[in-house]
Amino acid sequence: MPPNPFARARRLGAALLHLREQRGYTHRELTSKSGVSTAVISRLENPFSDIGQRPNLRLVRDLLDALDVPRGSDLWTELEQYAEDAGRGWYRDRRYADMGQGQRYAAIVEDGAAEVDEYSGLLLPGLLQTEGYARHRALGATNVDAIVAGRLARQQILKTATYRVVLEPQAFERWPVPAEVMLEQLHHLVKLGRRRNVSVHVLRVNAQIGDGITPRAPFTHFTYPDPADPRIVTVDNVSGDMLVTSPAEVAGYADLHERVRGAALSDADSAAFINEVAERLAATT
């Protein structure tokens, strides 16, 4: 499985920053020695400033030369590979250019993940949505087809990653789409839950999580195949997704997800709960 491009961009940036500081160069001094602008150096060292940027391989090589990294050395080869990996990503295809910045953001961090642990309260996450549900949720946008195409492309991750999602009941008991679309969506949820790599859990309102700690917002925790690639958490808030990168904070969210998953219904009981909702909905149509 190809590595996550953003994880590799982070590792490249950390290595370049370490090398520059180790050599005692300021941004301006490194620019003078390498010919690479200070703006480019800053973006490479801090990929969070432009998440998903594609590093210019030639400029990375110029920096490595200026930082006295021997060509052909293990370090050169490693950092060159990071730069190449950081430039990959299915979402760079023109077909997905108009899928929306928020969705592109999600695609960047989930690409190539080995494990995805998600919690959602009011709405169904994009990785679970049927085409019909996604299309109705996007109505009113000028790029509906692109949004739906991007959402379906993102769902390819469910073929390879372990996906564990915890849903509040209102995520499917409240129907933001027509009844027939929601009914199809509920059946899709149950079907997904039968996959060996997918777990769908319902967190009942009266669930006992313990310690009085409950999620304040939807969040997703990503783990990548290479243990050296740093884990990351995205938190959904009013202004868009927030990235959590501090190892201690990421570990806190991982622990929170484990606790809410432990307090939620089992896979089988969750499927039964969702089927009951579907039966009630079917009786009204």
Side-chain angles (χ1 to χ4, degrees):
M1 180 187 301
N4 177 263
F6 184 54
R8 292 307 167 92
R10 292 176 66 190
R11 290 175 70 175
L12 173 66
L16 291 175
L17 174 61
H18 175 74
L19 286 168
R20 179 175 63 78
E21 292 180 339
Q22 189 180 59
R23 306 295 192 264
Y25 295 140
T26 64
H27 281 153
R28 186 171 296 180
E29 288 169 338
L30 185 54
T31 290
S32 178
K33 189 175 182 186
S34 67
V36 180
S37 73
T38 56
V40 170
I41 294 172
S42 180
R43 286 198 301 270
L44 285 170
E45 290 181 350
N46 178 26
F48 298 98
S49 63
D50 183 14
I51 181 171
Q53 65 172 306
R54 172 177 276 164
N56 184 307
L57 192 55
R58 179 182 62 80
L59 297 183
V60 170
R61 289 169 178 153
D62 289 344
L63 285 175
L64 294 179
D65 281 334
L67 291 165
D68 302 317
V69 178
R71 289 197 172 221
S73 66
D74 289 345
L75 181 57
W76 175 286
T77 302
E78 180 180 49
L79 297 185
E80 188 179 50
Q81 186 62 56
Y82 288 170
E84 290 181 359
D85 291 341
R88 299 192 174 107
W90 62 265
Y91 44 84
R92 301 184 193 279
D93 190 291
R94 288 183 180 180
R95 290 175 294 174
Y96 308 111
D98 296 323
M99 69 178 180
Q101 186 60 29
Q103 183 155 235
R104 180 175 180 272
Y105 199 87
I108 289 169
V109 295
E110 70 196 12
D111 188 21
E115 297 182 8
V116 180
D117 290 325
E118 188 158 22
Y119 162 81
S120 187
L122 299 178
L123 293 168
L124 294 173
L127 292 180
L128 295 175
Q129 294 177 12
T130 63
E131 181 176 353
Y133 186 99
R135 188 168 296 279
H136 276 84
R137 292 292 302 145
L139 288 179
T142 58
N143 53 337
V144 173
D145 288 342
I147 291 173
V148 174
R151 194 140 303 172
L152 296 179
R154 285 177 52 209
Q155 293 174 9
Q156 296 302 304
I157 191 71
L158 298 182
K159 293 182 178 180
T160 54
T162 296
Y163 180 62
R164 296 175 287 253
V165 62
V166 178
L167 301 170
E168 298 280 358
Q170 57 264 41
F172 44 83
E173 288 190 316
R174 181 177 295 159
W175 305 323
V177 297
E180 65 275 11
V181 176
M182 194 66 201
L183 191 58
E184 178 191 38
Q185 176 66 72
L186 294 172
H187 291 154
H188 179 66
L189 274 179
V190 174
K191 184 177 179 180
L192 280 176
R194 297 193 190 110
R195 294 189 186 182
R196 295 181 63 181
N197 63 315
V198 176
S199 296
V200 178
H201 297 277
V202 177
L203 184 68
R204 298 294 301 271
V205 175
N206 60 351
Q208 300 297 307
I209 300 176
D211 298 334
I213 299 175
T214 57
R216 298 181 181 180
F219 69 89
T220 313
H221 171 232
F222 299 93
T223 304
Y224 304 106
D226 186 341
D229 284 344
R231 297 183 298 163
I232 199 167
V233 168
T234 59
V235 181
D236 187 6
N237 55 37
V238 175
S239 59
D241 281 343
M242 175 184 72
L243 285 180
V244 178
T245 59
S246 160
E249 290 185 75
V250 168
Y253 275 100
D255 178 68
L256 178 57
H257 192 276
E258 186 174 346
R259 279 195 279 174
V260 295
R261 195 169 72 246
L265 297 177
S266 67
D267 290 70
D269 288 344
S270 294
F273 188 98
I274 297 170
N275 275 324
E276 288 176 10
V277 175
E279 289 172 5
R280 293 200 305 270
L281 176 57
T284 67
T285 59

